[in-house]
Amino acid sequence: MSLNTFGRLFRVTTWGESHGPALGATVDGCPPGVALEPAMIQHWLDRRKPGQSKYTTQRREADAVRILSGVYEGRTTGTPIQLMIENTDQRSKDYGDIAQKFRPGHADITYFRKYGLRDPRGGGRASARETAARVAAGGVAREVLKALAPAMTITGCMVQMGPLAADRDQFDPAEVERNPFWCPDAASAAIWGEYLDRLRREGNSAGAVIEVTGSGVPAGLGAPVYGKLDADLAAAMMSINAVKGVEIGAGMAAAALTGTANADEIFMGNDGNPRFSSNHAGGILGGISSGQDVVVRFAVKPTSSILSPRRTITVAGEETEIVTKGRHDPCVGIRAVPVGEAMMACVLLDHLLLHRGQIGDGGGRIGAQ
Amino acid sequence: MSLNTFGRLFRVTTWGESHGPALGATVDGCPPGVALEPAMIQHWLDRRKPGQSKYTTQRREADAVRILSGVYEGRTTGTPIQLMIENTDQRSKDYGDIAQKFRPGHADITYFRKYGLRDPRGGGRASARETAARVAAGGVAREVLKALAPAMTITGCMVQMGPLAADRDQFDPAEVERNPFWCPDAASAAIWGEYLDRLRREGNSAGAVIEVTGSGVPAGLGAPVYGKLDADLAAAMMSINAVKGVEIGAGMAAAALTGTANADEIFMGNDGNPRFSSNHAGGILGGISSGQDVVVRFAVKPTSSILSPRRTITVAGEETEIVTKGRHDPCVGIRAVPVGEAMMACVLLDHLLLHRGQIGDGGGRIGAQ
Amino acid sequence: MSLNTFGRLFRVTTWGESHGPALGATVDGCPPGVALEPAMIQHWLDRRKPGQSKYTTQRREADAVRILSGVYEGRTTGTPIQLMIENTDQRSKDYGDIAQKFRPGHADITYFRKYGLRDPRGGGRASARETAARVAAGGVAREVLKALAPAMTITGCMVQMGPLAADRDQFDPAEVERNPFWCPDAASAAIWGEYLDRLRREGNSAGAVIEVTGSGVPAGLGAPVYGKLDADLAAAMMSINAVKGVEIGAGMAAAALTGTANADEIFMGNDGNPRFSSNHAGGILGGISSGQDVVVRFAVKPTSSILSPRRTITVAGEETEIVTKGRHDPCVGIRAVPVGEAMMACVLLDHLLLHRGQIGDGGGRIGAQ
Amino acid sequence: MSLNTFGRLFRVTTWGESHGPALGATVDGCPPGVALEPAMIQHWLDRRKPGQSKYTTQRREADAVRILSGVYEGRTTGTPIQLMIENTDQRSKDYGDIAQKFRPGHADITYFRKYGLRDPRGGGRASARETAARVAAGGVAREVLKALAPAMTITGCMVQMGPLAADRDQFDPAEVERNPFWCPDAASAAIWGEYLDRLRREGNSAGAVIEVTGSGVPAGLGAPVYGKLDADLAAAMMSINAVKGVEIGAGMAAAALTGTANADEIFMGNDGNPRFSSNHAGGILGGISSGQDVVVRFAVKPTSSILSPRRTITVAGEETEIVTKGRHDPCVGIRAVPVGEAMMACVLLDHLLLHRGQIGDGGGRIGAQ
């Protein structure tokens, strides 16, 4: 069921609205005995925090996480971990206009149609602020992964802003942390800055494509049919606010390939593990990880809350215009990078535990016979 | 958990291998009192059935469905419906080669790495034959939808084969059933036929993009955060064999749009319902249906089983080559069209029941106040 | 999965330890538009609160509940409701003894065996203090039931303390709120008081049997096989701390009856609904409610934390003795009454929503044809 | 959700009606590589099979199980196992009387109230015949347990028929398989035979109490709060047809004990594991197994289908009488013994996998520090 829960064994339930007193995540099923301090989680929250550059909302939130349960003397106990983040900068203002009008592209109208009422303050539950709770949960997942799969790394970057794709030939992983866009290509980062400045001045906004890569993922994670690793990753990424498309490996472009071009041929590596001539599969075959990098991309639509007037209707059914003032990100995709990483961390850990539950230490080893 | 189950209230568990005695679907949570005869389900299975044109595998399967439970005197009883399809054409041949070698792009290697053993006959559980069970379950979902949401239609088509996109200006819904590719554009269908003939002669295969549209979907279906309608659709489509990307509405292209271009402006329709200037959202905002068409696209990679030799390794870790003989679809995307429709039917029905469970007849009506 | 979650559509996840900063419940799937104020929940918490008579622990907790999310302007929004109760009286004392020794009858040893570590402060997650979160969630369920099934009432009482059963011929519902034991029989309440005084002086403790009755429960709630209403009630009650047995209707005594004696014969009532000659079934037949009172009983074992010395071992495997000091209930069954009521409220609401989801307004009406 | 599913990682979904063409179980999440042949499952089905003595229904069913999927060359593959049992002796007779009248104590009336229609043939889905599917699934669970926890045994017996309790001082495990009642006390078995003969001649029926014991259960299985081992066992047993009460260890009698009497004191055994002075806890503390025998008892009510006339009503709301002819067990409790064993096998395996998933090889060892 789990309308606000994701995961099967490592289960994360998020709660809270943009302008309520607090929001958070209840993490159930975490393995015991893992070292966990608030600072470990805070590290990841700080990467997502608003107001870090002129390209994100100027709302000032400390996003300070508290661990209310599930940790004793610095170690997880195996019982639910409650992570709470208090909202401190819910600027008191008049939401009357938004309360009566539906912002195009926003969830205002669908929440109203579904529930018959909604919390209009800052988008309520539909706010991207909910993703802070995911990042906190992802921080827990990362600490567990560090213990269970120390070779695994999960890193995200932005590979396209608006129509401007980064140049893959110029990718430098070290560059990702150096610019405000998590862009691995310094030249593109500069161009994107100018592009976004112009859009913001025009009261407009930009979309983006984010890529998240899991390296060192053990082979064998996933399951056939509905518990597929790629199906869970697709759901996880599509569940992030404003995401409209998800790709694994070659993604939509796989459709244009022929079978010979798409085949990732298999060889033996020097370490006794298989290696592949390419990674069109994005590290997943038949829903199960192959040991290659797990590569997921997702498209974030441009921010719907813009200063340019748009036609809309009121709750009463009258046609009107709306201009959305407030402190909105001109490109929500920027802050989606740590969110995508967090979702991948949660999904990979969940599948690691599921695999261990069903298979234990078993599985097939190439060349073992 | 549900590694082989999808859905929350309308739950489908599929079982069975390509070359076992039978496969099927266990459908739990179906509303009672709905008229259901095997012929209603057979109709949809026949559309997916192999061997209907020279462009699909020549394996001959009647794909005749039996209803073993959950129906009494032609009506569903509300208890589990067991749908069984017997395999009749599991050609007896030597699988020794495939049993020892891993086909590139196929799940052979990941199943082995996960389970330590696998059923090599026809791909076992990883075979696209499993999708017959989904189509059968989708047939049940359609009959229930007919009763609960009679205005709803769910139709799929192929919009791209290999690199060749159909021309949206030439779309004719009636054309979809007239060509072997479910292509809505007659001119493209002709070109695709030549393209696929050539690839097949070369021992090669083609990918495809499928689009499935739900019309007449009530506003309000879905839920925030993880039970989002688009997250569930993404998981459903990504769970289909060979799918590598899923898009909702504008999809990956949304990244390239500006906020002003992407906004679907809202007006009042003559019927008292909102109407929109465009449908970049694909009928879903904040994870909840808006009343617009729900539009999902997914990319199917080219068939991995091809006649061209590819480099690979054996279970013993020796490097070798493999040529996959057998009766394989040159473009598995063709038969994915009815599968995508079936998955959408299951997801929409599930969310209809979920909505009724949580909200009942409530929800917000524009202009009601 | 849901190790700390119960419910399917109305889902309650509890979190928090006895001596952590706070504990609470995350309630997901609540219908929207229901009036909800903290005072409505506080009412039920106050009934469970420790320190209300000399027969419960003297720990002083305000048990003040805060609603952190899911409610806007006094109405539920349909999104997750976070209920938090801060711990204020975690008396700082030396737990060194308990940290190294396992209290017989307590979860100390099994938590250690499972997790390899445990939070020894006040029993950590295994503390009966966790039940405050259940009572809070039950308070939400009651408000929703008030809206959806206004005729329903859920009332609990204690029907046995130690070996002393109350006299069913003397039951007076009004008496339940008048004595510290929720006993419906005034004479028994007096005897129980003396019995418990004596045990407490001896450093001993008493068990109890609680009975919870749901009246006005609509016919048709439940489901066959594993989603049975009685199976869910059994799990719900058995999940309460210290419970060792659960009965529906005649319960264990049903085994001693003959078929003729056990049959609840059926007649037509003046209101057009069936009535029954007796209620051995406890209102549930085949896992589905019949419209009769739903009657559940459960046995609570005597408090394990007692002042009398008991033989035990240490973490290091040394045999020793333990005396459990501290502020423990001499009969934990007393405070289990509001907990049992809360669990029944959650289960009945969950099944009401499930029924509405699968069946809607349908179902069979006697005499309708 | 899972109305017809039990288990979390080892998941069993049963399907099928008493008089449909077949019934069965879909087993998902089974570990791979476990030897499994139909004969291993048939062994357990044969113990439950009707018609084995004059004390069970004379319906003749071979109850021959077929494995339709999930097993390849005699080993489980890790994918869903479909177990099918065809119904062969659905005697064609007139069900007109039962179709219109509700049998007291039976699910006829509640199925009608819920679903608006029902399959009246042999009770449809509410028939105890459904338990054959559980026994088949339990047979799979036992083979997996044999591989993962070879020291574990699961054995059931009947400890009370009607008001006649077996004498615990005379228990002889070997006797259980020697009499038609699975009674461990030969003298009681003889008395029970006479008692049941008399009731049957009178057109009456008897209830029973069944006890199932799991020995060699590793310490640490279970989870706090809702995933408690005892909560899952309670749900599992209560979900069996006609069960009205479930007890763990001392059960309902725990209420009458004092804290000193109830305490299972702890010592060190010669094998380095803890041993206990008694087992009032039934092997479960705080929802987690202690390593002692897991002891569950459940009460089965007397068969509702009896030859003595009972008052009832018709679907049309008319008062009438009913006599239930047909081939009914005079004491359904007899065949509930293998069913209870099967349910315990499924629950213990599920928790073994869950534990392995969350904890791996960890956990606490007494004396390890």
Side-chain angles (χ1 to χ4, degrees), chain C residues 1 8 110 114 220 222 228 239 244 265 268 281 285 311 315 319 354 367, chain D residues 1 8 110 114 222 228 239 244 248 265 268 281 285 311 315 319 367:
Chain C
M1 290 313 317
R8 298 157 192 262
T110 54
K114 181 173 196 75
K228 281 180 168 166
S239 79
K244 300 307 285 185
E265 292 183 295
M268 284 305 291
L285 290 166
R311 303 291 310 265
V315 173
E319 298 192 342
L354 278 169
Chain D
M1 294 312 318
R8 299 156 191 264
T110 54
K114 181 171 196 75
K228 282 180 167 166
S239 79
K244 301 305 286 184
I248 307 288
E265 292 182 295
M268 283 305 292
L285 290 166
R311 303 290 311 265
V315 174
E319 299 191 341

mmCIF file of all heavy atoms in Angstrom, chain C residues 1 8 110 114 220 222 228 239 244 265 268 281 285 311 315 319 354 367, chain D residues 1 8 110 114 222 228 239 244 248 265 268 281 285 311 315 319 367:
data_model
loop_
_atom_site.group_PDB
_atom_site.id
_atom_site.type_symbol
_atom_site.label_atom_id
_atom_site.label_comp_id
_atom_site.label_asym_id
_atom_site.label_seq_id
_atom_site.Cartn_x
_atom_site.Cartn_y
_atom_site.Cartn_z
ATOM 1 N N MET C 1 5.919 -5.771 4.405
ATOM 2 C CA MET C 1 7.076 -5.949 5.286
ATOM 3 C C MET C 1 6.777 -5.373 6.652
ATOM 4 O O MET C 1 6.369 -6.077 7.544
ATOM 5 C CB MET C 1 8.246 -5.183 4.706
ATOM 6 C CG MET C 1 8.724 -5.816 3.480
ATOM 7 S SD MET C 1 8.864 -7.553 3.788
ATOM 8 C CE MET C 1 9.605 -7.557 5.386
ATOM 9 N N ARG C 8 -3.398 -1.810 6.261
ATOM 10 C CA ARG C 8 -3.207 -1.964 4.827
ATOM 11 C C ARG C 8 -3.515 -0.656 4.109
ATOM 12 O O ARG C 8 -2.665 -0.104 3.432
ATOM 13 C CB ARG C 8 -4.120 -3.090 4.339
ATOM 14 C CG ARG C 8 -3.765 -4.431 5.000
ATOM 15 C CD ARG C 8 -4.926 -5.409 4.994
ATOM 16 N NE ARG C 8 -4.683 -6.539 5.859
ATOM 17 C CZ ARG C 8 -4.226 -7.732 5.464
ATOM 18 N NH1 ARG C 8 -3.979 -7.951 4.205
ATOM 19 N NH2 ARG C 8 -4.035 -8.704 6.315
ATOM 20 N N THR C 110 16.081 -11.611 24.039
ATOM 21 C CA THR C 110 15.811 -11.861 22.620
ATOM 22 C C THR C 110 16.262 -10.683 21.753
ATOM 23 O O THR C 110 16.752 -10.887 20.644
ATOM 24 C CB THR C 110 14.325 -12.191 22.393
ATOM 25 O OG1 THR C 110 13.511 -11.160 22.955
ATOM 26 C CG2 THR C 110 13.973 -13.523 23.020
ATOM 27 N N LYS C 114 18.901 -11.121 18.796
ATOM 28 C CA LYS C 114 18.588 -10.715 17.422
ATOM 29 C C LYS C 114 19.550 -9.650 16.912
ATOM 30 O O LYS C 114 20.152 -9.803 15.864
ATOM 31 C CB LYS C 114 17.163 -10.158 17.327
ATOM 32 C CG LYS C 114 16.803 -9.754 15.894
ATOM 33 C CD LYS C 114 15.367 -9.359 15.710
ATOM 34 C CE LYS C 114 15.033 -9.354 14.222
ATOM 35 N NZ LYS C 114 14.874 -10.671 13.643
ATOM 36 N N GLY C 220 -20.016 -7.383 6.532
ATOM 37 C CA GLY C 220 -19.274 -7.427 5.271
ATOM 38 C C GLY C 220 -17.823 -6.996 5.372
ATOM 39 O O GLY C 220 -17.092 -7.062 4.384
ATOM 40 N N GLY C 222 -13.967 -7.459 6.145
ATOM 41 C CA GLY C 222 -13.055 -8.598 6.233
ATOM 42 C C GLY C 222 -12.820 -9.170 4.857
ATOM 43 O O GLY C 222 -13.212 -8.574 3.846
ATOM 44 N N LYS C 228 -8.479 -11.936 6.715
ATOM 45 C CA LYS C 228 -9.647 -12.116 7.580
ATOM 46 C C LYS C 228 -9.678 -11.067 8.679
ATOM 47 O O LYS C 228 -8.637 -10.759 9.277
ATOM 48 C CB LYS C 228 -9.609 -13.507 8.215
ATOM 49 C CG LYS C 228 -10.071 -14.596 7.279
ATOM 50 C CD LYS C 228 -10.028 -15.974 7.950
ATOM 51 C CE LYS C 228 -10.775 -16.989 7.093
ATOM 52 N NZ LYS C 228 -10.516 -18.371 7.486
ATOM 53 N N SER C 239 0.085 -8.342 19.108
ATOM 54 C CA SER C 239 1.242 -7.442 18.968
ATOM 55 C C SER C 239 1.392 -6.506 20.164
ATOM 56 O O SER C 239 2.401 -5.812 20.283
ATOM 57 C CB SER C 239 1.120 -6.631 17.681
ATOM 58 O OG SER C 239 0.221 -5.556 17.843
ATOM 59 N N LYS C 244 -0.494 -12.975 25.502
ATOM 60 C CA LYS C 244 -0.151 -14.379 25.215
ATOM 61 C C LYS C 244 -1.303 -15.175 24.609
ATOM 62 O O LYS C 244 -1.110 -16.359 24.257
ATOM 63 C CB LYS C 244 0.305 -15.086 26.503
ATOM 64 C CG LYS C 244 1.526 -14.478 27.186
ATOM 65 C CD LYS C 244 2.737 -14.297 26.306
ATOM 66 C CE LYS C 244 3.484 -15.571 25.983
ATOM 67 N NZ LYS C 244 4.734 -15.262 25.205
ATOM 68 N N GLU C 265 -28.159 -19.358 15.798
ATOM 69 C CA GLU C 265 -29.271 -19.434 14.851
ATOM 70 C C GLU C 265 -29.675 -18.035 14.380
ATOM 71 O O GLU C 265 -29.454 -17.044 15.072
ATOM 72 C CB GLU C 265 -30.449 -20.168 15.496
ATOM 73 C CG GLU C 265 -30.118 -21.652 15.729
ATOM 74 C CD GLU C 265 -31.282 -22.428 16.308
ATOM 75 O OE1 GLU C 265 -31.678 -22.125 17.461
ATOM 76 O OE2 GLU C 265 -31.789 -23.334 15.622
ATOM 77 N N MET C 268 -35.048 -12.969 11.626
ATOM 78 C CA MET C 268 -35.135 -11.627 11.079
ATOM 79 C C MET C 268 -35.493 -10.661 12.205
ATOM 80 O O MET C 268 -36.421 -10.892 12.976
ATOM 81 C CB MET C 268 -36.214 -11.553 9.986
ATOM 82 C CG MET C 268 -35.787 -12.168 8.661
ATOM 83 S SD MET C 268 -34.220 -11.476 7.983
ATOM 84 C CE MET C 268 -34.748 -9.807 7.547
ATOM 85 N N ALA C 281 -19.865 -16.692 17.683
ATOM 86 C CA ALA C 281 -18.930 -16.354 16.600
ATOM 87 C C ALA C 281 -18.174 -15.067 16.879
ATOM 88 O O ALA C 281 -17.212 -14.749 16.184
ATOM 89 C CB ALA C 281 -19.686 -16.234 15.279
ATOM 90 N N LEU C 285 -17.763 -14.410 10.815
ATOM 91 C CA LEU C 285 -17.943 -15.728 10.195
ATOM 92 C C LEU C 285 -17.133 -15.775 8.909
ATOM 93 O O LEU C 285 -17.300 -14.904 8.046
ATOM 94 C CB LEU C 285 -19.427 -15.954 9.869
ATOM 95 C CG LEU C 285 -20.356 -16.142 11.078
ATOM 96 C CD1 LEU C 285 -21.814 -16.003 10.655
ATOM 97 C CD2 LEU C 285 -20.119 -17.515 11.715
ATOM 98 N N ARG C 311 16.394 -15.904 39.112
ATOM 99 C CA ARG C 311 17.658 -16.386 38.573
ATOM 100 C C ARG C 311 17.786 -15.979 37.109
ATOM 101 O O ARG C 311 16.816 -16.065 36.359
ATOM 102 C CB ARG C 311 17.736 -17.921 38.668
ATOM 103 C CG ARG C 311 17.563 -18.494 40.071
ATOM 104 C CD ARG C 311 18.766 -18.151 40.957
ATOM 105 N NE ARG C 311 20.029 -18.469 40.313
ATOM 106 C CZ ARG C 311 20.701 -19.620 40.490
ATOM 107 N NH1 ARG C 311 20.225 -20.551 41.296
ATOM 108 N NH2 ARG C 311 21.838 -19.822 39.880
ATOM 109 N N VAL C 315 25.158 -11.042 30.071
ATOM 110 C CA VAL C 315 25.583 -11.053 28.671
ATOM 111 C C VAL C 315 26.835 -11.920 28.499
ATOM 112 O O VAL C 315 27.022 -12.580 27.469
ATOM 113 C CB VAL C 315 25.853 -9.613 28.183
ATOM 114 C CG1 VAL C 315 26.454 -9.599 26.790
ATOM 115 C CG2 VAL C 315 24.564 -8.793 28.215
ATOM 116 N N GLU C 319 25.847 -17.053 35.480
ATOM 117 C CA GLU C 319 24.579 -17.176 36.179
ATOM 118 C C GLU C 319 24.557 -16.221 37.362
ATOM 119 O O GLU C 319 25.555 -16.018 38.044
ATOM 120 C CB GLU C 319 24.354 -18.617 36.631
ATOM 121 C CG GLU C 319 24.292 -19.561 35.425
ATOM 122 C CD GLU C 319 23.798 -20.951 35.761
ATOM 123 O OE1 GLU C 319 23.819 -21.313 36.956
ATOM 124 O OE2 GLU C 319 23.381 -21.672 34.827
ATOM 125 N N LEU C 354 -10.836 -0.818 3.122
ATOM 126 C CA LEU C 354 -10.572 -1.911 2.178
ATOM 127 C C LEU C 354 -11.866 -2.364 1.505
ATOM 128 O O LEU C 354 -11.902 -2.604 0.300
ATOM 129 C CB LEU C 354 -9.972 -3.112 2.918
ATOM 130 C CG LEU C 354 -8.478 -3.082 3.206
ATOM 131 C CD1 LEU C 354 -8.119 -4.202 4.159
ATOM 132 C CD2 LEU C 354 -7.674 -3.220 1.908
ATOM 133 N N GLY C 367 -33.320 -9.832 1.662
ATOM 134 C CA GLY C 367 -34.686 -9.428 1.308
ATOM 135 C C GLY C 367 -34.753 -8.414 0.197
ATOM 136 O O GLY C 367 -35.818 -7.881 -0.114
ATOM 137 N N MET D 1 -1.329 -5.577 1.275
ATOM 138 C CA MET D 1 -2.749 -5.790 1.025
ATOM 139 C C MET D 1 -3.084 -7.256 1.148
ATOM 140 O O MET D 1 -3.552 -7.705 2.153
ATOM 141 C CB MET D 1 -3.070 -5.357 -0.399
ATOM 142 C CG MET D 1 -2.897 -3.915 -0.557
ATOM 143 S SD MET D 1 -3.719 -3.092 0.799
ATOM 144 C CE MET D 1 -5.211 -4.033 0.909
ATOM 145 N N ARG D 8 5.930 -12.383 4.120
ATOM 146 C CA ARG D 8 6.545 -11.135 3.724
ATOM 147 C C ARG D 8 7.638 -11.400 2.695
ATOM 148 O O ARG D 8 7.597 -10.879 1.594
ATOM 149 C CB ARG D 8 7.114 -10.442 4.966
ATOM 150 C CG ARG D 8 6.019 -10.112 5.981
ATOM 151 C CD ARG D 8 6.546 -9.982 7.402
ATOM 152 N NE ARG D 8 5.491 -9.925 8.390
ATOM 153 C CZ ARG D 8 4.988 -8.816 8.915
ATOM 154 N NH1 ARG D 8 5.477 -7.647 8.571
ATOM 155 N NH2 ARG D 8 4.012 -8.857 9.796
ATOM 156 N N THR D 110 -22.151 -14.012 5.586
ATOM 157 C CA THR D 110 -21.222 -12.879 5.532
ATOM 158 C C THR D 110 -20.648 -12.704 4.124
ATOM 159 O O THR D 110 -20.467 -11.575 3.672
ATOM 160 C CB THR D 110 -20.091 -13.030 6.571
ATOM 161 O OG1 THR D 110 -19.457 -14.297 6.404
ATOM 162 C CG2 THR D 110 -20.648 -12.920 7.980
ATOM 163 N N LYS D 114 -21.069 -9.295 2.049
ATOM 164 C CA LYS D 114 -19.901 -8.582 1.531
ATOM 165 C C LYS D 114 -19.947 -8.430 0.011
ATOM 166 O O LYS D 114 -19.843 -7.334 -0.517
ATOM 167 C CB LYS D 114 -18.609 -9.313 1.894
ATOM 168 C CG LYS D 114 -17.376 -8.568 1.374
ATOM 169 C CD LYS D 114 -16.064 -9.107 1.862
ATOM 170 C CE LYS D 114 -14.961 -8.081 1.630
ATOM 171 N NZ LYS D 114 -14.979 -6.965 2.557
ATOM 172 N N GLY D 222 11.911 -12.839 14.473
ATOM 173 C CA GLY D 222 10.794 -11.982 14.855
ATOM 174 C C GLY D 222 11.210 -10.538 14.758
ATOM 175 O O GLY D 222 12.279 -10.213 14.232
ATOM 176 N N LYS D 228 5.968 -8.948 14.935
ATOM 177 C CA LYS D 228 6.296 -9.912 15.987
ATOM 178 C C LYS D 228 6.041 -11.339 15.513
ATOM 179 O O LYS D 228 5.026 -11.606 14.854
ATOM 180 C CB LYS D 228 5.437 -9.639 17.223
ATOM 181 C CG LYS D 228 5.922 -8.466 18.044
ATOM 182 C CD LYS D 228 5.035 -8.231 19.272
ATOM 183 C CE LYS D 228 5.744 -7.271 20.225
ATOM 184 N NZ LYS D 228 4.845 -6.742 21.258
ATOM 185 N N SER D 239 -6.285 -17.474 10.826
ATOM 186 C CA SER D 239 -6.768 -17.453 9.440
ATOM 187 C C SER D 239 -7.236 -18.828 8.970
ATOM 188 O O SER D 239 -7.815 -18.952 7.893
ATOM 189 C CB SER D 239 -5.669 -16.942 8.509
ATOM 190 O OG SER D 239 -4.715 -17.959 8.236
ATOM 191 N N LYS D 244 -11.093 -20.054 16.561
ATOM 192 C CA LYS D 244 -11.661 -18.947 17.358
ATOM 193 C C LYS D 244 -10.730 -18.451 18.458
ATOM 194 O O LYS D 244 -11.081 -17.480 19.158
ATOM 195 C CB LYS D 244 -12.993 -19.383 18.001
ATOM 196 C CG LYS D 244 -14.074 -19.829 17.048
ATOM 197 C CD LYS D 244 -14.428 -18.824 15.965
ATOM 198 C CE LYS D 244 -15.227 -17.616 16.402
ATOM 199 N NZ LYS D 244 -15.590 -16.772 15.225
ATOM 200 N N ILE D 248 -0.136 -18.534 22.815
ATOM 201 C CA ILE D 248 1.307 -18.754 22.767
ATOM 202 C C ILE D 248 1.747 -19.151 24.175
ATOM 203 O O ILE D 248 1.428 -18.444 25.134
ATOM 204 C CB ILE D 248 2.046 -17.461 22.353
ATOM 205 C CG1 ILE D 248 1.488 -16.866 21.059
ATOM 206 C CG2 ILE D 248 3.554 -17.693 22.279
ATOM 207 C CD1 ILE D 248 1.796 -17.615 19.806
ATOM 208 N N GLU D 265 12.884 -18.568 34.521
ATOM 209 C CA GLU D 265 14.235 -18.185 34.951
ATOM 210 C C GLU D 265 15.281 -18.730 33.975
ATOM 211 O O GLU D 265 15.056 -19.732 33.294
ATOM 212 C CB GLU D 265 14.495 -18.678 36.373
ATOM 213 C CG GLU D 265 13.614 -17.917 37.385
ATOM 214 C CD GLU D 265 13.880 -18.340 38.821
ATOM 215 O OE1 GLU D 265 13.604 -19.519 39.148
ATOM 216 O OE2 GLU D 265 14.359 -17.505 39.604
ATOM 217 N N MET D 268 22.578 -21.191 32.359
ATOM 218 C CA MET D 268 23.429 -21.541 31.221
ATOM 219 C C MET D 268 23.370 -23.054 31.015
ATOM 220 O O MET D 268 23.535 -23.831 31.961
ATOM 221 C CB MET D 268 24.877 -21.109 31.476
ATOM 222 C CG MET D 268 25.116 -19.615 31.303
ATOM 223 S SD MET D 268 24.599 -18.949 29.681
ATOM 224 C CE MET D 268 25.800 -19.733 28.597
ATOM 225 N N ALA D 281 6.520 -18.631 28.275
ATOM 226 C CA ALA D 281 6.566 -17.670 27.166
ATOM 227 C C ALA D 281 6.290 -18.329 25.825
ATOM 228 O O ALA D 281 6.084 -17.636 24.828
ATOM 229 C CB ALA D 281 7.929 -16.985 27.129
ATOM 230 N N LEU D 285 9.697 -13.921 23.338
ATOM 231 C CA LEU D 285 9.741 -12.790 24.268
ATOM 232 C C LEU D 285 9.855 -11.505 23.465
ATOM 233 O O LEU D 285 10.756 -11.371 22.639
ATOM 234 C CB LEU D 285 10.946 -12.923 25.204
ATOM 235 C CG LEU D 285 10.876 -14.052 26.240
ATOM 236 C CD1 LEU D 285 12.254 -14.284 26.868
ATOM 237 C CD2 LEU D 285 9.847 -13.742 27.323
ATOM 238 N N ARG D 311 -32.490 -23.147 13.091
ATOM 239 C CA ARG D 311 -33.286 -22.042 12.564
ATOM 240 C C ARG D 311 -32.396 -21.103 11.756
ATOM 241 O O ARG D 311 -31.278 -20.811 12.161
ATOM 242 C CB ARG D 311 -33.924 -21.231 13.713
ATOM 243 C CG ARG D 311 -34.803 -22.038 14.664
ATOM 244 C CD ARG D 311 -36.087 -22.496 13.995
ATOM 245 N NE ARG D 311 -36.778 -21.417 13.308
ATOM 246 C CZ ARG D 311 -37.765 -20.689 13.842
ATOM 247 N NH1 ARG D 311 -38.180 -20.930 15.080
ATOM 248 N NH2 ARG D 311 -38.342 -19.733 13.135
ATOM 249 N N VAL D 315 -32.188 -15.865 1.692
ATOM 250 C CA VAL D 315 -31.709 -14.635 1.057
ATOM 251 C C VAL D 315 -32.840 -13.619 0.954
ATOM 252 O O VAL D 315 -32.633 -12.409 1.058
ATOM 253 C CB VAL D 315 -31.140 -14.956 -0.346
ATOM 254 C CG1 VAL D 315 -30.783 -13.690 -1.090
ATOM 255 C CG2 VAL D 315 -29.923 -15.865 -0.222
ATOM 256 N N GLU D 319 -37.844 -16.505 7.476
ATOM 257 C CA GLU D 319 -37.334 -17.409 8.513
ATOM 258 C C GLU D 319 -37.669 -18.847 8.137
ATOM 259 O O GLU D 319 -38.747 -19.137 7.613
ATOM 260 C CB GLU D 319 -37.914 -17.037 9.874
ATOM 261 C CG GLU D 319 -37.508 -15.610 10.280
ATOM 262 C CD GLU D 319 -37.820 -15.270 11.730
ATOM 263 O OE1 GLU D 319 -38.650 -15.969 12.333
ATOM 264 O OE2 GLU D 319 -37.215 -14.309 12.245
ATOM 265 N N GLY D 367 28.062 -14.697 26.062
ATOM 266 C CA GLY D 367 29.407 -15.094 26.441
ATOM 267 C C GLY D 367 30.455 -14.809 25.381
ATOM 268 O O GLY D 367 31.613 -15.207 25.518
#
